[in-house]
């Protein structure tokens, strides 16, 4: 890690309770407070960039398991549930049809029970990590609000979960044998 131009060591290890996203949020909050104490009327720019949702997906130990069982139905059924929720909430217009699953992604039912268990666990861990990152973003926003600056602050929240594949990796996906 680098702070400005200075290398920074983690104050402790993960097995001792250290978690990067918490540390980054604490650092961001402290920096914003420092800027506002030095020049209360001057605008500031803060870029808070937690590691979620990029691998490795490492939610803190006390956040793990919060989504246990949530994805056991598999990705095909989960897509249907998300689509229905988006229509019901007005995120997408009524009548919007769910796109077909890309052919590069195998059907959930074609996976072995072992793979289904693994993939569901990976999705749970991913969701735990994202929820924790959201919580830490919330702490940063709450600190801005506690300084009386939220109404004078533009917050842009961007979540990027994947990058376009450089090549077709469908042959690398696990298949049922």
């Amino acid at each position: 890690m680098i702070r400005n131009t200075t290398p920074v060591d983690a104050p402790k290890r993960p097995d001792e309770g250290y978690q990067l996203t918490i540390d980054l949020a604490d650092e961001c909050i402290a920096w914003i407070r420092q800027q506002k104490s030095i020049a209360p009327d001057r605008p500031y720019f803060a870029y808070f960039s937690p590691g979620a949702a990029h691998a490795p997906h490492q939610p803190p130990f006390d956040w793990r398991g919060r989504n246990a069982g949530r994805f056991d139905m598999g990705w095909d059924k989960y897509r249907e549930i998300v689509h229905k929720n988006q229509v019901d909430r007005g995120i997408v217009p009524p009548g919007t049809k769910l796109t077909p699953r890309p052919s590069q992604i195998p059907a959930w039912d074609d996976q072995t029970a072992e793979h289904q268990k693994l993939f569901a666990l990976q999705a749970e861990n991913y969701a735990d990590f994202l929820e924790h990152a959201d919580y830490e973003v919330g702490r940063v926003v709450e600190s801005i609000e506690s300084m009386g600056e939220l109404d004078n602050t533009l917050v842009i929240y961007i979540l990027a979960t994947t990058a376009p594949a450089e090549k077709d990796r469908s042959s690398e996906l696990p298949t049922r044998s």
Side-chain angles (χ1 to χ4, degrees), residues 50-69:
H54 301 288
H57 302 136
Q58 301 172 334
F61 294 120
D62 60 337
W63 280 75
R64 294 181 186 180
R66 293 178 181 222
N67 286 283

Side-chain angles (χ1 to χ4, degrees), residues 76-113:
D76 291 323
K77 182 66 178 171
Y78 188 72
R79 289 180 75 238
E80 293 171 12
I81 292 168
V82 169
H83 175 258
K84 181 182 181 321
N85 286 340
Q86 289 177 337
V87 171
D88 292 348
R89 293 178 180 174
I91 296 168
V92 296
T96 300
K97 302 294 182 207
L98 180 62
T99 59
R101 176 180 25 81
S103 61
Q104 300 90 341
I105 298 174
W108 180 259
D109 291 339
D110 290 345
Q111 300 302 306
T112 65

Side-chain angles (χ1 to χ4, degrees), residues 85-158:
N85 286 340
Q86 289 177 337
V87 171
D88 292 348
R89 293 178 180 174
I91 296 168
V92 296
T96 300
K97 302 294 182 207
L98 180 62
T99 59
R101 176 180 25 81
S103 61
Q104 300 90 341
I105 298 174
W108 180 259
D109 291 339
D110 290 345
Q111 300 302 306
T112 65
E114 182 179 339
H115 282 161
Q116 287 179 350
K117 183 176 179 182
L118 172 64
F119 294 148
L121 181 62
Q122 288 175 336
E124 293 167 11
N125 189 63
Y126 180 81
D128 292 343
F129 193 31
L130 282 178
E131 287 180 4
H132 178 256
D134 283 346
Y135 176 83
E136 294 302 321
V137 169
R139 282 199 321 117
V140 173
V141 172
E142 286 174 358
S143 74
I144 295 167
E145 183 177 35
S146 74
M147 290 182 271
E149 292 292 324
L150 190 57
D151 287 342
N152 192 32
T153 301
L154 175 63
V155 176
I156 301 172
Y157 190 176
I158 299 172

Side-chain angles (χ1 to χ4, degrees), residues 18-26 48 50-52 58 60 129 132-134 136-137 139:
Y18 179 78
Q19 208 280 336
L20 178 63
T21 309
I22 297 169
D23 194 15
L24 291 173
D26 289 344
F48 175 61
Q58 301 172 334
F129 193 31
H132 178 256
D134 283 346
E136 294 302 321
V137 169
R139 282 199 321 117

